[in-house]
Amino acid sequence: MATENQDSIQTAADKYRSFLHEEAHNTEWRHGGPPIYDDVNKLFEQGRTKEWPKGSLEEVVQNALKSWEMEMSHKTRLEDFRTINPEKFKLIVNGREGLSAEETLKMGSYNALLKSSMPEEYKYYKADEESFESSHDAFRMALPRGFAWEVISVYSGPPLIAFKFRHWGYFEGPFKGHAPTGDLLQFYGIGILKVDESLRAEDVEIYYDPSELFAGLLKGPLISGSEHTDASTHKCPFNA
């Protein structure tokens, strides 16, 4: 969500995401100004299972990943990024070929994380057919309170940080023709983050099971009149 009055927002820094309001006038924002995270911060604080001590390794890693996601979702130029080393950055999801910073920024974090090598008939979500905007619109509509993220454990410190995470939200809006259920959707995963001496990410590896997410999103009944009403066109193995 963008804000129209950038000057008034600059003083209200987000406590979980660094660089959000620093040098805001020199940053090219996707929606005209820095985003506001009030709703998802509230969801995070109400639903988190861990509250890490200030300054702990776990808190540093958690906030670093939140800041990285913020930049990927809301900044449009790699030169404005503060959380990654653009020349070396690679995003690797479930062992697939790594994406460069430019490729990840172009397709968007949702498409990068949900790209699949499954047979076409089992691909309910086809990342190759989604744009940055359409992917974010789909999940913003399905999860109107946001998609919160927390670190569950950190297994090693920099420069090679291994961690476990949890991602969750409430399915309160339609998704690809499926009616919302109001249920809590969540999944867990493992991440490996390689950082340089300035703690900028060079490699981000993410491992998780997408079925934990899509089983919940496709649970809702198909909405009459939706372009997705013909269920035979999307055979989902997650609900078998």
Side-chain angles (χ1 to χ4, degrees):
M1 179 177 178
T3 176
E4 295 181 358
N5 192 339
Q6 194 165 306
D7 290 329
S8 64
I9 288 296
Q10 261 188 289
T11 58
D14 187 285
K15 57 185 174 182
Y16 302 116
R17 297 163 185 85
S18 57
F19 317 130
L20 181 53
H21 302 293
E22 295 178 14
E23 304 174 2
H25 289 295
N26 299 321
T27 298
E28 188 172 291
W29 296 98
R30 188 171 298 277
H31 301 292
I36 299 172
Y37 281 95
D38 291 354
D39 289 343
V40 75
N41 284 349
K42 181 178 180 180
L43 178 67
F44 167 71
E45 290 168 357
Q46 291 176 340
R48 60 186 168 186
T49 61
K50 306 282 187 179
E51 188 167 355
W52 301 112
K54 188 171 179 59
S56 65
L57 177 60
E58 291 85 358
E59 189 214 29
V60 170
V61 172
Q62 182 170 264
N63 290 353
L65 268 294
K66 287 179 183 287
S67 297
W68 169 71
E69 183 280 330
M70 175 274 295
E71 291 196 311
M72 276 294 173
S73 296
H74 294 282
K75 293 183 178 181
T76 61
R77 302 182 305 188
L78 288 177
E79 65 195 72
D80 292 330
F81 279 48
R82 304 276 295 278
T83 60
I84 69 170
N85 182 330
E87 291 76 26
K88 294 184 177 182
F89 181 84
K90 288 288 183 184
L91 174 64
I92 301 166
V93 180
N94 289 338
R96 295 194 301 271
E97 183 178 355
L99 297 169
S100 68
E102 186 174 349
E103 290 171 325
T104 305
L105 180 61
K106 181 178 180 179
M107 70 170 55
S109 54
Y110 281 117
N111 287 334
L113 291 169
L114 295 172
K115 192 175 175 65
S116 172
S117 57
M118 293 176 66
E120 284 297 316
E121 64 266 27
Y122 291 128
K123 285 184 181 179
Y124 187 85
Y125 183 89
K126 299 183 179 182
D128 293 338
E129 297 178 6
E130 299 283 349
S131 67
F132 183 109
E133 290 77 15
S134 70
S135 64
H136 278 255
D137 287 346
F139 283 93
R140 190 179 297 115
M141 183 177 295
L143 306 167
R145 283 193 271 170
F147 206 8
W149 188 93
E150 70 171 333
V151 161
I152 298 296
S153 302
V154 175
Y155 305 115
S156 60
L160 198 60
I161 303 167
F163 59 93
K164 182 178 181 179
F165 66 88
R166 171 179 171 250
H167 222 335
W168 77 97
Y170 287 89
F171 184 21
E172 297 171 327
F175 179 79
K176 298 293 184 180
H178 286 264
T181 63
D183 292 346
L184 169 68
L185 303 184
Q186 64 180 345
F187 66 87
Y188 293 82
I190 296 293
I192 302 172
L193 177 65
K194 181 182 178 183
V195 297
D196 63 16
E197 63 277 2
S198 300
L199 296 181
R200 296 182 302 168
E202 294 184 345
D203 290 331
V204 178
E205 295 185 50
I206 300 294
Y207 298 90
Y208 76 106
D209 181 358
S211 69
E212 293 183 0
L213 172 64
F214 280 108
L217 285 171
L218 305 183
K219 183 179 178 181
L222 285 165
I223 301 170
S224 177
S226 165
E227 62 181 290
H228 300 276
T229 299
D230 183 2
S232 65
T233 62
H234 296 291
K235 301 174 184 176
C236 180
F238 305 146
N239 285 345

